Amino acid sequence: MRDQYQKQIEKEVASYRKAYDKVMNSDDPRLAGQDVKDYEVGKLREQLEANVSQIEAEFTEKIEAEIERAAKEAGRSRFFVSSPDKQYVTDITDNLVTKLTFAVTDADKSEAFSEYDAKLELIEDVAPFSEVVKQLAEASRKLGDDEFSKKKIRGLYYQLNEGLRTPEQERYEALKVDKMTGVSHKFRTLQMTHPSYSHKQAARKSKRM
């Protein structure tokens, strides 16, 4: 969606640049004199800004509606974890808890976590990690006062959970980024660099001084 509206604004900006050059380089006697050229450029600028505002407003309306729909879909979405994957996660997590329970030193516990990490690397899909996160929370409750192991589990839990999103949740987050980024980059660049917007550029410079 964003690409569609971004291309519309890019087209408007390109047309404006072309029209500006045509006015400034024209040999038409009706455009003789800087005042006349400035007047014609002013009309072009007003039309460009009106067109950009209309495109921006339409984009905002459409993407806000899409974000609202996506938020509902993201809220309902769940990972599907197959029975074999769920059993694999259960087995390796139970094994981790057992090793931590009977570990004599912190070095033994660190080794148990290293083995667990190696087994996690064998998981090829994203979905089973939702089960890993769930079972890590349960594993932490089984470790009693073992703060060393619980701290390690918390770190692993937050590391895995932070990037754990369903495709619907990923789409929802991407749409929010698209809205924040907007579609007017080319127009903003024009305002910062084009000679017909020198008045705005001068105003920005004076504010910084």
Side-chain angles (χ1 to χ4, degrees):
M1 176 192 295
R2 178 172 168 266
D3 287 348
Q4 171 192 345
Y5 288 98
Q6 186 170 284
K7 285 176 181 177
Q8 288 182 36
I9 287 182
E10 288 175 359
K11 184 177 179 181
E12 293 289 342
V13 168
S15 296
Y16 172 81
R17 288 181 181 276
K18 186 176 180 181
Y20 170 86
D21 289 342
K22 185 176 181 180
V23 168
M24 298 305 290
N25 298 321
S26 176
D27 294 329
D28 190 331
R30 292 172 298 177
L31 295 175
Q34 191 60 43
D35 289 346
V36 177
K37 291 182 186 295
D38 288 345
Y39 174 75
E40 291 298 324
V41 168
K43 290 197 297 183
L44 292 173
R45 190 168 55 236
E46 286 179 10
Q47 187 61 56
L48 170 67
E49 291 171 359
N51 292 347
V52 168
S53 293
Q54 182 178 347
I55 294 168
E56 286 176 329
E58 185 177 337
F59 168 73
T60 299
E61 180 183 353
K62 292 285 181 66
I63 200 165
E64 284 180 350
E66 196 63 30
I67 286 173
E68 186 177 348
R69 283 192 294 271
K72 293 176 182 177
E73 293 172 0
R76 293 193 298 264
S77 66
R78 296 291 183 273
F79 283 107
F80 170 75
V81 184
S82 67
S83 294
D85 283 339
K86 187 176 291 188
Q87 188 60 54
Y88 177 75
V89 172
T90 299
D91 290 343
I92 66 172
T93 307
D94 285 348
N95 186 50
L96 172 65
V97 171
T98 300
K99 288 188 175 183
L100 294 175
T101 301
F102 290 100
V104 177
T105 65
D106 288 347
D108 293 335
K109 296 171 185 177
S110 294
E111 184 178 349
F113 277 108
S114 294
E115 292 175 4
Y116 186 69
D117 287 341
K119 290 172 183 176
L120 288 179
E121 290 178 3
L122 298 177
I123 299 175
E124 297 180 350
D125 196 11
V126 174
F129 284 99
S130 64
E131 185 66 25
V132 173
V133 167
K134 187 189 302 181
Q135 294 202 25
L136 282 175
E138 182 61 31
S140 181
R141 287 190 283 270
K142 295 177 181 178
L143 293 173
D145 297 330
D146 184 356
E147 287 303 320
F148 179 89
S149 296
K150 290 171 78 170
K151 183 178 179 181
K152 287 272 194 181
I153 283 182
R154 281 195 299 271
L156 186 56
Y157 174 93
Y158 288 120
Q159 177 187 341
L160 295 175
N161 193 54
E162 184 178 356
L164 196 60
R165 296 193 183 105
T166 63
E168 293 82 3
Q169 291 165 344
E170 290 281 4
R171 180 172 181 272
Y172 172 57
E173 293 299 327
L175 284 169
K176 289 195 295 182
V177 171
D178 281 351
K179 180 187 174 183
M180 182 176 65
T181 305
V183 293
S184 304
H185 173 70
K186 287 290 185 182
F187 176 60
R188 305 301 171 207
T189 301
L190 180 84
Q191 289 181 310
M192 290 187 289
T193 60
H194 199 267
S196 63
Y197 277 92
S198 58
H199 58 293
K200 285 186 176 290
Q201 296 156 20
R204 279 195 295 271
K205 287 180 181 177
S206 64
K207 286 181 181 180
R208 291 197 295 266
M209 294 176 65

Coordinates of all heavy atoms in Angstrom, one line a residue, residues 107-166:
A107 N 29.4 -23.9 37.1 CA 30.0 -24.4 35.8 C 29.2 -25.5 35.2 O 29.0 -25.6 34.0 CB 31.4 -24.8 36.0
D108 N 28.7 -26.4 36.1 CA 27.8 -27.5 35.6 C 26.6 -27.0 35.0 O 26.1 -27.4 34.0 CB 27.5 -28.5 36.7 CG 28.7 -29.2 37.3 OD1 29.7 -29.4 36.5 OD2 28.7 -29.6 38.4
K109 N 26.0 -25.9 35.6 CA 24.8 -25.3 35.2 C 25.0 -24.6 33.8 O 24.2 -24.7 32.9 CB 24.2 -24.3 36.2 CG 23.8 -25.0 37.5 CD 23.5 -24.0 38.6 CE 23.2 -24.7 39.9 NZ 22.9 -23.7 41.0
S110 N 26.1 -23.9 33.7 CA 26.4 -23.2 32.5 C 26.6 -24.2 31.3 O 26.1 -24.0 30.2 CB 27.7 -22.4 32.6 OG 27.5 -21.4 33.5
E111 N 27.2 -25.4 31.6 CA 27.3 -26.4 30.6 C 26.0 -26.9 30.2 O 25.7 -27.2 29.0 CB 28.2 -27.5 31.1 CG 28.5 -28.6 30.1 CD 29.4 -29.7 30.6 OE1 29.9 -29.6 31.7 OE2 29.5 -30.8 29.9
A112 N 25.0 -27.1 31.1 CA 23.7 -27.5 30.8 C 23.0 -26.6 29.9 O 22.3 -26.9 28.9 CB 22.9 -27.7 32.1
F113 N 23.2 -25.3 30.1 CA 22.6 -24.3 29.3 C 23.2 -24.3 27.9 O 22.5 -24.0 26.9 CB 22.7 -22.9 29.9 CG 21.6 -22.6 30.9 CD1 21.9 -22.5 32.3 CD2 20.3 -22.3 30.5 CE1 20.9 -22.3 33.2 CE2 19.3 -22.1 31.5 CZ 19.6 -22.0 32.8
S114 N 24.5 -24.5 27.8 CA 25.1 -24.5 26.5 C 24.6 -25.7 25.7 O 24.4 -25.6 24.5 CB 26.7 -24.7 26.7 OG 27.2 -23.6 27.3
E115 N 24.4 -26.8 26.3 CA 23.8 -28.0 25.6 C 22.4 -27.7 25.2 O 22.0 -28.1 24.1 CB 23.8 -29.2 26.6 CG 25.2 -29.8 26.9 CD 25.2 -30.9 27.9 OE1 24.1 -31.3 28.3 OE2 26.3 -31.3 28.3
Y116 N 21.6 -27.0 26.0 CA 20.2 -26.6 25.7 C 20.2 -25.7 24.5 O 19.4 -25.9 23.5 CB 19.6 -26.0 26.9 CG 18.1 -25.7 26.7 CD1 17.2 -26.7 26.7 CD2 17.7 -24.4 26.7 CE1 15.8 -26.4 26.5 CE2 16.3 -24.1 26.5 CZ 15.4 -25.1 26.5 OH 14.1 -24.9 26.4
D117 N 21.1 -24.7 24.5 CA 21.2 -23.8 23.3 C 21.5 -24.5 22.0 O 21.0 -24.2 21.0 CB 22.3 -22.7 23.6 CG 21.9 -21.7 24.6 OD1 20.7 -21.6 24.9 OD2 22.8 -21.0 25.2
A118 N 22.4 -25.5 22.1 CA 22.8 -26.3 20.9 C 21.6 -27.0 20.4 O 21.4 -27.1 19.2 CB 23.9 -27.2 21.2
K119 N 20.7 -27.5 21.3 CA 19.5 -28.3 20.9 C 18.5 -27.3 20.3 O 17.7 -27.7 19.4 CB 19.0 -29.0 22.0 CG 19.9 -30.2 22.5 CD 19.4 -30.9 23.7 CE 20.3 -32.0 24.2 NZ 20.0 -32.6 25.5
L120 N 18.4 -26.1 20.8 CA 17.5 -25.1 20.3 C 17.9 -24.7 18.8 O 17.0 -24.5 18.0 CB 17.5 -23.8 21.1 CG 16.8 -23.9 22.5 CD1 16.9 -22.6 23.2 CD2 15.4 -24.4 22.4
E121 N 19.2 -24.7 18.5 CA 19.6 -24.4 17.2 C 19.2 -25.4 16.1 O 19.2 -25.1 14.9 CB 21.1 -24.3 17.2 CG 21.7 -23.0 17.9 CD 23.2 -23.0 17.9 OE1 23.8 -23.8 17.3 OE2 23.7 -22.0 18.6
L122 N 18.7 -26.6 16.6 CA 18.3 -27.6 15.6 C 16.8 -27.3 15.2 O 16.3 -27.9 14.3 CB 18.4 -29.0 16.3 CG 19.8 -29.4 16.7 CD1 19.7 -30.8 17.4 CD2 20.7 -29.5 15.4
I123 N 16.1 -26.4 15.9 CA 14.8 -26.1 15.5 C 14.8 -25.1 14.3 O 15.4 -24.1 14.4 CB 14.0 -25.4 16.7 CG1 14.0 -26.3 17.9 CG2 12.6 -24.9 16.3 CD1 13.4 -25.7 19.2
E124 N 14.1 -25.5 13.3 CA 14.2 -24.8 12.0 C 13.1 -23.8 11.8 O 13.2 -22.9 11.0 CB 14.3 -25.8 10.8 CG 15.5 -26.7 10.9 CD 15.5 -27.7 9.7 OE1 14.5 -27.8 9.0 OE2 16.5 -28.4 9.5
D125 N 12.0 -23.9 12.5 CA 10.8 -23.1 12.3 C 10.7 -22.1 13.5 O 11.3 -22.3 14.5 CB 9.6 -23.9 12.1 CG 8.4 -23.1 11.5 OD1 8.7 -22.0 11.1 OD2 7.3 -23.6 11.6
V126 N 9.9 -21.0 13.3 CA 9.7 -20.1 14.3 C 8.7 -20.6 15.3 O 8.9 -20.4 16.6 CB 9.2 -18.7 13.7 CG1 8.9 -17.7 14.8 CG2 10.3 -18.1 12.8
A127 N 7.7 -21.2 14.9 CA 6.5 -21.6 15.7 C 6.9 -22.3 17.0 O 6.4 -22.0 18.1 CB 5.5 -22.4 14.9
P128 N 7.8 -23.3 16.9 CA 8.2 -24.1 18.1 C 8.8 -23.2 19.2 O 8.7 -23.6 20.4 CB 9.2 -25.1 17.6 CG 8.9 -25.3 16.2 CD 8.4 -24.0 15.7
F129 N 9.3 -22.1 18.9 CA 9.9 -21.2 19.9 C 8.9 -20.6 20.8 O 9.1 -20.2 22.0 CB 10.8 -20.1 19.3 CG 12.1 -20.7 18.8 CD1 12.3 -21.0 17.5 CD2 13.2 -20.9 19.7 CE1 13.6 -21.5 17.1 CE2 14.4 -21.4 19.3 CZ 14.6 -21.7 18.0
S130 N 7.6 -20.6 20.3 CA 6.5 -20.1 21.2 C 6.3 -21.1 22.3 O 6.0 -20.8 23.5 CB 5.2 -19.9 20.4 OG 4.8 -21.2 19.9
E131 N 6.5 -22.4 22.0 CA 6.5 -23.5 23.0 C 7.7 -23.4 24.0 O 7.6 -23.7 25.2 CB 6.3 -24.8 22.4 CG 6.1 -26.0 23.3 CD 4.8 -25.9 24.0 OE1 3.8 -25.3 23.5 OE2 4.7 -26.5 25.1
V132 N 8.8 -23.1 23.4 CA 10.0 -23.0 24.2 C 9.8 -21.9 25.3 O 10.1 -22.1 26.5 CB 11.3 -22.6 23.3 CG1 12.5 -22.3 24.2 CG2 11.6 -23.7 22.4
V133 N 9.3 -20.8 24.9 CA 9.1 -19.6 25.8 C 8.1 -20.1 26.9 O 8.3 -19.8 28.1 CB 8.6 -18.4 25.0 CG1 8.0 -17.4 26.0 CG2 9.7 -17.8 24.2
K134 N 7.1 -20.7 26.5 CA 6.1 -21.2 27.5 C 6.7 -22.2 28.5 O 6.4 -22.1 29.7 CB 4.9 -21.9 26.7 CG 3.7 -22.2 27.6 CD 2.7 -23.1 26.9 CE 2.2 -22.4 25.6 NZ 1.2 -23.2 24.9
Q135 N 7.5 -23.1 28.0 CA 8.1 -24.1 28.9 C 9.2 -23.5 29.7 O 9.5 -24.0 30.8 CB 8.5 -25.3 28.1 CG 7.3 -26.0 27.5 CD 7.6 -27.5 27.1 OE1 8.5 -28.1 27.7 NE2 6.9 -28.0 26.2
L136 N 9.9 -22.5 29.2 CA 10.9 -21.9 30.0 C 10.3 -21.2 31.3 O 10.9 -21.2 32.4 CB 11.7 -20.8 29.2 CG 12.8 -21.4 28.3 CD1 13.4 -20.3 27.4 CD2 13.9 -22.1 29.0
A137 N 9.2 -20.6 31.1 CA 8.5 -20.0 32.2 C 8.1 -21.0 33.3 O 8.3 -20.8 34.5 CB 7.2 -19.2 31.7
E138 N 7.7 -22.1 32.8 CA 7.3 -23.2 33.7 C 8.6 -23.8 34.4 O 8.6 -24.1 35.6 CB 6.6 -24.3 33.0 CG 6.1 -25.5 33.9 CD 5.2 -25.1 35.0 OE1 4.4 -24.1 34.8 OE2 5.2 -25.7 36.1
A139 N 9.7 -23.9 33.6 CA 10.9 -24.5 34.1 C 11.5 -23.6 35.3 O 12.0 -24.1 36.3 CB 11.9 -24.6 33.0
S140 N 11.3 -22.3 35.1 CA 11.8 -21.3 36.1 C 11.1 -21.6 37.5 O 11.8 -21.5 38.5 CB 11.6 -19.9 35.7 OG 12.1 -19.0 36.6
R141 N 9.8 -21.9 37.4 CA 9.1 -22.1 38.7 C 9.5 -23.4 39.4 O 9.3 -23.6 40.6 CB 7.6 -22.2 38.4 CG 7.0 -20.8 38.1 CD 5.5 -20.9 38.0 NE 5.0 -21.4 36.8 CZ 4.7 -20.8 35.7 NH1 4.9 -19.5 35.7 NH2 4.3 -21.4 34.6
K142 N 10.1 -24.3 38.6 CA 10.6 -25.6 39.2 C 11.9 -25.5 39.9 O 12.3 -26.5 40.5 CB 10.6 -26.7 38.1 CG 9.2 -27.0 37.5 CD 9.4 -28.0 36.4 CE 8.1 -28.4 35.7 NZ 8.3 -29.3 34.6
L143 N 12.6 -24.4 39.7 CA 14.0 -24.3 40.2 C 14.2 -23.7 41.6 O 15.3 -23.6 42.0 CB 14.8 -23.5 39.2 CG 15.0 -24.2 37.8 CD1 15.7 -23.2 36.8 CD2 15.8 -25.5 37.9
G144 N 13.0 -23.4 42.2 CA 13.1 -23.0 43.6 C 14.0 -21.8 43.8 O 13.8 -20.7 43.2
D145 N 15.0 -21.9 44.7 CA 15.8 -20.8 45.0 C 17.1 -20.7 44.2 O 18.1 -20.0 44.6 CB 16.2 -20.9 46.5 CG 15.0 -20.8 47.4 OD1 14.0 -20.1 47.0 OD2 15.0 -21.4 48.5
D146 N 17.2 -21.4 43.1 CA 18.4 -21.4 42.3 C 18.4 -20.2 41.4 O 18.0 -20.1 40.3 CB 18.4 -22.7 41.4 CG 19.7 -22.8 40.6 OD1 20.5 -21.9 40.6 OD2 19.8 -23.8 39.9
E147 N 18.9 -19.1 42.0 CA 18.9 -17.8 41.3 C 19.8 -17.7 40.1 O 19.5 -17.1 39.1 CB 19.3 -16.7 42.3 CG 18.2 -16.3 43.3 CD 16.9 -15.9 42.7 OE1 17.0 -15.2 41.6 OE2 15.9 -16.4 43.1
F148 N 20.9 -18.5 40.2 CA 21.8 -18.5 39.0 C 21.1 -19.1 37.8 O 21.1 -18.4 36.7 CB 23.0 -19.4 39.3 CG 24.0 -19.5 38.2 CD1 25.1 -18.7 38.0 CD2 23.9 -20.6 37.3 CE1 26.0 -18.8 37.0 CE2 24.8 -20.7 36.2 CZ 25.8 -19.8 36.1
S149 N 20.4 -20.2 37.9 CA 19.7 -20.8 36.8 C 18.5 -20.0 36.4 O 18.2 -19.8 35.2 CB 19.3 -22.2 37.2 OG 20.4 -23.0 37.4
K150 N 17.8 -19.4 37.4 CA 16.6 -18.6 37.0 C 17.0 -17.4 36.3 O 16.2 -17.0 35.4 CB 15.8 -18.3 38.3 CG 15.2 -19.6 39.0 CD 14.6 -19.3 40.3 CE 13.3 -18.6 40.3 NZ 12.6 -18.5 41.6
K151 N 18.1 -16.8 36.6 CA 18.6 -15.6 35.9 C 18.9 -16.0 34.5 O 18.6 -15.2 33.5 CB 19.8 -15.0 36.6 CG 20.3 -13.7 36.0 CD 21.5 -13.1 36.7 CE 22.0 -11.9 36.1 NZ 23.1 -11.3 36.8
K152 N 19.5 -17.1 34.3 CA 19.9 -17.5 32.9 C 18.6 -17.8 32.1 O 18.5 -17.4 30.9 CB 20.7 -18.8 33.0 CG 22.1 -18.7 33.5 CD 23.0 -18.4 32.3 CE 24.5 -18.5 32.6 NZ 25.4 -18.2 31.5
I153 N 17.6 -18.4 32.7 CA 16.4 -18.7 32.1 C 15.6 -17.4 31.7 O 15.1 -17.3 30.6 CB 15.5 -19.7 32.9 CG1 16.1 -21.1 32.8 CG2 14.0 -19.6 32.5 CD1 15.3 -22.1 33.6
R154 N 15.6 -16.5 32.6 CA 15.0 -15.2 32.3 C 15.6 -14.5 31.1 O 14.9 -14.0 30.2 CB 15.0 -14.3 33.5 CG 14.0 -14.6 34.6 CD 13.9 -13.4 35.6 NE 15.1 -13.1 36.3 CZ 15.5 -13.7 37.4 NH1 14.7 -14.6 38.0 NH2 16.6 -13.4 38.0
G155 N 16.9 -14.5 31.1 CA 17.6 -13.9 29.9 C 17.3 -14.6 28.6 O 17.0 -13.9 27.6
L156 N 17.2 -15.9 28.6 CA 16.9 -16.7 27.4 C 15.4 -16.4 27.1 O 15.1 -16.3 25.9 CB 17.1 -18.2 27.7 CG 17.0 -19.1 26.5 CD1 17.9 -18.7 25.3 CD2 17.3 -20.6 26.9
Y157 N 14.6 -16.4 28.1 CA 13.1 -16.2 27.8 C 12.9 -14.8 27.1 O 12.2 -14.8 26.1 CB 12.4 -16.2 29.2 CG 10.9 -15.8 29.1 CD1 10.0 -16.8 28.9 CD2 10.5 -14.5 29.1 CE1 8.6 -16.4 28.8 CE2 9.2 -14.1 29.0 CZ 8.2 -15.1 28.8 OH 6.9 -14.7 28.7
Y158 N 13.5 -13.8 27.6 CA 13.3 -12.4 27.1 C 14.0 -12.3 25.7 O 13.4 -11.7 24.8 CB 13.8 -11.4 28.0 CG 13.0 -11.2 29.2 CD1 13.5 -11.4 30.5 CD2 11.6 -10.8 29.1 CE1 12.7 -11.2 31.6 CE2 10.8 -10.7 30.2 CZ 11.4 -10.8 31.5 OH 10.6 -10.7 32.6
Q159 N 15.1 -13.0 25.5 CA 15.8 -13.0 24.2 C 14.9 -13.6 23.1 O 14.8 -13.1 22.0 CB 17.1 -13.7 24.3 CG 17.9 -13.8 23.0 CD 19.1 -14.7 23.1 OE1 19.6 -15.0 24.2 NE2 19.6 -15.2 22.0
L160 N 14.3 -14.8 23.5 CA 13.5 -15.5 22.5 C 12.1 -14.8 22.3 O 11.6 -14.7 21.2 CB 13.3 -16.9 22.9 CG 14.5 -17.8 22.9 CD1 14.2 -19.2 23.5 CD2 15.1 -17.9 21.6
N161 N 11.6 -14.3 23.4 CA 10.2 -13.8 23.3 C 10.1 -12.4 22.6 O 9.1 -12.1 22.0 CB 9.6 -13.6 24.7 CG 8.2 -13.3 24.7 OD1 7.4 -14.1 24.2 ND2 7.8 -12.2 25.4
E162 N 11.3 -11.7 22.6 CA 11.3 -10.3 22.1 C 11.0 -10.3 20.6 O 10.2 -9.5 20.1 CB 12.7 -9.7 22.3 CG 12.7 -8.3 21.8 CD 14.1 -7.6 22.1 OE1 14.9 -8.3 22.8 OE2 14.3 -6.5 21.7
G163 N 11.5 -11.3 19.8 CA 11.3 -11.3 18.4 C 10.3 -12.3 17.9 O 10.2 -12.6 16.8
L164 N 9.5 -12.8 18.9 CA 8.6 -13.9 18.6 C 7.2 -13.3 18.1 O 6.4 -12.9 19.0 CB 8.4 -14.8 19.8 CG 7.8 -16.2 19.5 CD1 8.6 -17.0 18.6 CD2 7.7 -16.9 20.9
R165 N 7.0 -13.3 16.8 CA 5.7 -12.8 16.3 C 5.1 -13.7 15.3 O 5.9 -14.2 14.4 CB 5.9 -11.4 15.7 CG 6.4 -10.3 16.7 CD 6.3 -8.9 16.1 NE 6.8 -7.9 17.0 CZ 7.9 -7.3 16.8 NH1 8.7 -7.6 15.8 NH2 8.3 -6.3 17.6
T166 N 3.8 -13.8 15.3 CA 3.1 -14.5 14.2 C 3.2 -13.7 12.9 O 3.5 -12.5 13.0 CB 1.7 -14.8 14.5 OG1 1.0 -13.5 14.7 CG2 1.5 -15.5 15.9

